[in-house]
Amino acid sequence: MSEYLPGLAGVPATKSNISDIDGEKGILAYRGYPIEQLARHSSFEETCLLLLDGRLPTGAELDLFDQQLRENRRVKYHIRGLMKNLPESGHPMGMLQTAVASLGMFYPAKECLIGGDACEDLNYIHNTTVKIIARMATMVAMWEHIRNGYDPVTPRPDLSYAENFLYMFTGRKPDPMLARILDVCLILHAEHTINASTFSVLVNGSTLANPYSVIAAAIGALSGPLHGGANQRVVGMLKEIGTPDRAEEYVDRKLSNKEVIWGMGHREYQTKDPRATILQKLVDELVEARGGDVNPMFEVAKQVEIICEDRLAEKGVYANVDFYSGILYSEMGIPADQFTAIFAIARSAGWLAHWREQLADNRIFRPTQVYIGEPMRDYVPIAQR
Ligand code: COA
């Protein structure tokens, strides 16, 4: 009998050439390209193609993909109707899971993977991928208006992916610096090897289920507090601390109560998460560009990180990607409960790359178990129990 490892910790679930992490050195690379270079030079649109196709696109390939994304931003009137009927108090991740799953009702059998034929059909895979990546941003932005009782803002095909999302979300053409920061955030969240949500893509994809239900399952996995969602808590924590001079007392109190500091620590990294380093630089740039006129949370965050480094570095606990992303999203006017939905929008690229990789060499997942129940026994009639 093979050894049972809770959570499959350390058990390879697949072979993949999409991304790689070196947790000791603090390196993350997509298709061999370091995340720092992608954050500096790439765009979310280009990073999607890199993840999906395995290579940097030519100018013509990127233009075509970008055009396809722009043309696929609108969602059907019925989806909008469905969203309007959801309770406005519901969490955005619940809305997103429902809305993405419902797309499968509108793009059914003809495009479905019946018989597995689509495993060979790269056009089908590409077209579905475009629909999902383009529409997830639309649906998250639409929800912000619908849940507040307004009509959603119509997408604009002349704007980039990040610009259009912020435009649809806030109703205003975004500040170019904030749009670029969002673009970098999307790049940084687009992929991160095999985690719970990506594993669910492999499992669901391996049954040849409709891709919309594959991505809906991944959204469900990401919605759990042990996976997505820490950045929402970071913002709550920074607000609670309030001013930088209260950071030390707060951190020490939490640590002595054996509570976690949100946005600190990562199972894969024993050093600072490279994505947090990039986001921290963006925070500094934004503070400088605004002449220091930013939300007080920025200063509180910096002080919390300094204190945590002093108290937690010996345990290999440093800031993770969630530590700075939330405050940047807040600066864009995005409420905290939407942060995980933005994570999902970005991660759709990685999920779909893994879906495609799974289909290319598919075998249905069917793990085994270690049975720890009763031995064989005879049925007892109800009158004798
Ligand atoms: N705050 C305070 N202490 C922390 C900590 C944090 N955020 N993260 C880890 N530690 C401490 C643990 O208490 C433990 O201390 P001990 O050895 O004295 O018991 C030690 O560091 C090792 O932590 P462990 O829980 O074994 O690490 P893990 O790899 O199992 O957990 C996380 C990783 C992400 C679950 C954990 O760091 C965490 O809960 N972080 C906060 C939530 C968060 O930001 N999640 C987003 C991840 S992207």
Side-chain angles (χ1 to χ4, degrees):
M1 189 173 62
S2 30
E3 188 191 357
Y4 161 61
L5 292 171
L8 299 183
V11 178
T14 189
K15 286 184 182 173
S16 178
N17 53 28
I18 298 173
S19 66
D20 194 27
I21 296 170
D22 182 331
E24 278 183 20
K25 295 188 183 143
I27 295 173
L28 170 63
Y30 298 168
R31 302 286 191 179
Y33 295 101
I35 194 74
E36 291 78 7
Q37 291 185 21
L38 295 172
R40 196 172 315 126
H41 303 297
S42 189
S43 61
F44 178 62
E45 292 88 330
E46 184 184 61
T47 298
C48 288
L49 265 192
L50 170 67
L51 290 168
L52 293 162
D53 293 345
R55 59 180 174 80
L56 288 170
T58 63
E61 287 167 339
L62 180 56
D63 286 348
L64 177 64
F65 181 64
D66 185 25
Q67 192 55 36
Q68 291 168 338
L69 284 175
R70 289 169 196 251
E71 285 166 2
N72 275 278
R73 282 179 183 158
R74 297 182 67 135
V75 297
K76 283 183 189 286
Y77 188 74
H78 281 310
I79 300 276
R80 179 168 145 171
L82 180 142
M83 289 171 69
K84 281 187 170 171
N85 280 300
L86 295 174
E88 55 270 19
S89 57
H91 196 279
M93 287 295 276
M95 173 286 301
L96 191 59
Q97 187 180 32
T98 307
V100 169
S102 77
L103 289 176
M105 296 289 287
F106 295 94
Y107 307 108
K110 184 164 63 97
E111 286 189 295
C112 245
L113 297 175
I114 291 168
D117 292 346
C119 299
E120 306 296 324
D121 187 345
L122 288 182
N123 269 342
Y124 166 76
I125 290 175
H126 181 80
N127 293 341
T128 309
T129 295
V130 167
K131 275 195 182 75
I132 292 174
I133 296 176
R135 285 168 205 195
M136 276 176 64
T138 298
M139 293 187 295
V140 172
M142 281 171 71
W143 180 242
E144 190 55 24
H145 298 279
I146 290 174
R147 72 172 171 172
N148 285 304
Y150 297 102
D151 271 334
V153 174
T154 307
R156 270 181 51 178
D158 59 318
L159 299 176
S160 74
Y161 191 94
E163 285 171 338
N164 177 64
F165 174 74
L166 284 177
Y167 165 72
M168 287 189 69
F169 201 98
T170 62
R172 295 182 304 279
K173 188 158 183 234
D175 170 284
M177 187 167 189
L178 290 181
R180 175 59 191 154
I181 290 175
L182 178 63
D183 197 40
V184 174
C185 289
L186 296 175
I187 292 171
L188 298 182
H189 284 87
E191 161 65 7
H192 209 231
T193 73
I194 299 297
N195 41 57
S197 59
T198 306
F199 184 46
S200 88
V201 167
L202 303 187
V203 173
N204 286 279
S206 79
T207 70
L208 301 183
N210 182 318
Y212 300 99
S213 61
V214 172
I215 299 304
I219 294 168
L222 186 68
S223 71
L226 294 185
H227 192 357
N231 51 11
Q232 180 175 345
R233 291 183 167 83
V234 171
V235 166
M237 174 183 82
L238 297 176
K239 282 185 178 155
E240 188 187 335
I241 297 172
T243 50
D245 59 303
R246 295 181 52 200
E248 186 165 14
E249 181 277 324
Y250 178 93
V251 170
D252 285 338
R253 179 162 42 87
K254 288 281 166 187
L255 293 182
S256 63
N257 290 342
K258 301 266 175 240
E259 291 177 62
V260 293
I261 310 299
W262 296 108
M264 293 288 152
H266 196 290
R267 176 71 54 84
E268 292 293 321
Y269 297 107
Q270 293 84 55
T271 183
K272 186 163 171 174
D273 182 333
R275 301 166 299 174
T277 307
I278 295 168
L279 291 179
Q280 188 183 7
K281 281 195 194 124
L282 291 178
V283 167
D284 289 341
E285 282 169 29
L286 190 64
V287 172
E288 198 185 325
R290 297 264 170 94
D293 183 20
V294 288
N295 193 305
M297 272 195 293
F298 284 73
E299 287 307 318
V300 179
K302 282 183 169 180
Q303 192 57 24
V304 169
E305 192 183 1
I306 290 169
I307 292 159
C308 283
E309 202 162 325
D310 183 58
R311 313 292 200 266
L312 293 169
E314 60 179 9
K315 294 182 180 180
V317 174
Y318 295 86
N320 62 47
V321 68
D322 290 324
F323 191 68
Y324 285 108
S325 60
I327 46 179
L328 288 167
Y329 294 151
S330 295
E331 197 64 18
M332 294 168 198
I334 297 170
D337 68 345
Q338 288 273 23
F339 296 170
T340 319
I342 297 176
F343 185 165
I345 293 172
R347 188 54 59 83
S348 66
W351 288 335
L352 288 158
H354 283 275
W355 173 64
R356 178 167 159 177
E357 193 175 61
Q358 179 66 33
L359 292 184
D361 187 17
N362 192 44
R363 188 166 189 211
I364 188 167
F365 274 84
R366 198 353 176 153
T368 186
Q369 64 170 9
V370 178
Y371 179 66
I372 55 167
E374 300 288 345
M376 292 284 275
R377 50 187 170 165
D378 288 326
Y379 178 81
V380 181
I382 199 159
Q384 293 170 24
R385 286 176 220 162

